[in-house]
Amino acid sequence: MTFIDLFCCVPSFAVFTLQCAVKNNAWGSIGTKSEVALLRQGGDSTFELQDDMTYAELWMGTHVKGDSILTSSEHAGKTLSQWVEEHPDCLGSKVRSKFNDQLPYLFKVLSINKTLSIQAHPNKTHAEQLNAKHPDIYVDDNHKPEMALALTPFEGMNGFKRLSKIVHFLEAIPEFRTVVGEKETKALQEACRTDPKGTSDSAKAVLKKSFTSFMNRDESLVSEQLDKLEKRFQKLVDEGQDISNVDGEIFLRLCKEYPGDAGSFVSYFFNVMTLKPGEAMFLQANEPHAYMSGDCIECMACSDNVVRAGLTAKYKDVPTLCEMLSYITSTPEERIFDSHVDPSDPCVTIYNPAIPDFAIAKVEILAETRNHTLGAYDSGSIVLFIRGSATATSSSISETLSLRRGSVIFVAAGESVQLNLESNDGLLAFRAYCPLD
Ligand SMILES: *[C@@H]1O[C@H](CO)[C@@H](O)[C@H](O)[C@H]1NC(C)=O
Ligand SMILES: *[C@@H]1O[C@H](CO)[C@@H](O)[C@H](O)[C@H]1NC(C)=O
Ligand SMILES: *[C@@H]1O[C@H](CO)[C@@H](O)[C@H](O)[C@H]1NC(C)=O
Ligand SMILES: [Zn+2]
């Protein structure tokens, strides 16, 4: 190695703060009820939070539709993608070779006040096929695994319920039975008798057939039953009756959010779950899901590939969705992602979905701790500070960064960051990175 090589490999500023893009989609939470808005304001006191505006997403990364901007170092004002392009070593050599000098993940905060569309994401091979066939609809050829980690109680639909649960609702709700169909209902009941969980291939085939029939049911029949069930449940509510044994509140809520959308019935097929803060769900390829309410950290492979099938005014592709789903059934509890404490740092909990694109580390420093080192990772990482305040120093930077709730920093591969806490109430931060061996 020559002197020049040595010099080039050490980026001059390898830890810096970022200002991140906010998205104001209509489904976002409003004003100060939105964690996205509060974090964005916390990280930048010049940000003007408006009480009547929706704040749906905070994007941390290099995506063209919301590139982060450097706010410290001599490079302040550059976008993160520009900086990465000029200093690809900050990604780490493994990420450079695996992901072609690109940051492979997009890190987000979501604040949701209205159910998002029912969707699933194709796997890599399928994404390539969809993109080749319909480049106008499926705009890129990448897969899009994603993870949602709750910051506040976070509600979403995720995967198919156990077969016995679906059959329970078919038997308890005649309107649901009508839209699924009599023949299909009988087939599901039959499958359920021998396999109540619905894990066998034959049970999955029956579920696929019934779900596909339901999704293709005549629109006028579906809207008639929707209307009927909505009125029936509403009457029961008005009479003060409990409709929780038939998940009536969720159905009514979906009807209000998406009037006339057949998607309101899907809560009888899919698990509806509420994550506690710190719990996560991971959406593999071909798993149906819809986020419903609350605030979460989200990490995903950098991609826009979504196949939608309901609760949306956007393009729906029902045949593709019905064909691609995996039809794995489960309980809501089984959908909670297993995290583990980092053996090398008890303050760190790792959520690693075992894909190269991303993992999330939760850093929770207890009250009364004075300092902590964010360890060096093999890949470039992005850290979002949720609670607590600290000053940060690193061997490669001359300035001291001042961090608080809402601050976001990029940490180059191989860099560690020394945090000196400024308050006595500890610190909570989340860090996205690539877990490449
Ligand atoms: C959600 O929207 C409703 C209706 O606009 C509003 O009353 C409520 O405050 C909103 N909640 C959040 C968390 O934004
Ligand atoms: C990818 O998805 C397609 C469509 O659902 C499926 O046929 C194929 O088996 C999947 N491939 C892998 C490797 O899982
Ligand atoms: C970290 O805090 C401990 C006490 O909690 C102190 O002894 C130590 O000097 C501190 N280290 C640094 C680098 O500030
Ligand atoms: Zn999704």
Side-chain angles (χ1 to χ4, degrees), residues 119 121 146 289:
Q119 53 183 251
H121 306 293
E146 65 191 22
H289 58 279

Side-chain angles (χ1 to χ4, degrees), residues 26-34 53-55 111-114 293-295:
W27 49 260
S29 297
I30 302 171
T32 54
K33 291 183 183 139
S34 165
M53 187 109 133
T54 56
Y55 296 93
S111 291
I112 301 173
N113 191 29
K114 182 184 177 186
S293 72
D295 307 277

Side-chain angles (χ1 to χ4, degrees), residues 251-263:
F251 179 84
L252 284 181
R253 201 170 98 198
L254 294 175
C255 287
K256 280 206 187 67
E257 290 178 346
Y258 294 93
D261 193 312

Side-chain angles (χ1 to χ4, degrees), residues 273-330:
M273 54 198 290
T274 304
L275 300 175
K276 297 191 199 80
E279 286 180 342
M281 53 172 136
F282 176 59
L283 286 322
Q284 325 217 26
N286 300 333
E287 289 295 337
H289 58 279
Y291 298 152
M292 297 173 75
S293 72
D295 307 277
C296 74
I297 300 272
E298 189 184 39
C299 204
M300 63 182 68
C302 223
S303 160
D304 277 330
N305 265 323
V306 183
V307 182
R308 294 186 182 85
L311 302 180
T312 182
K314 290 187 185 164
Y315 178 77
K316 298 176 199 175
D317 189 346
V318 170
T320 301
L321 187 97
C322 291
E323 190 50 40
M324 74 195 263
L325 295 183
S326 55
Y327 297 94
I328 295 168
T329 64
S330 65

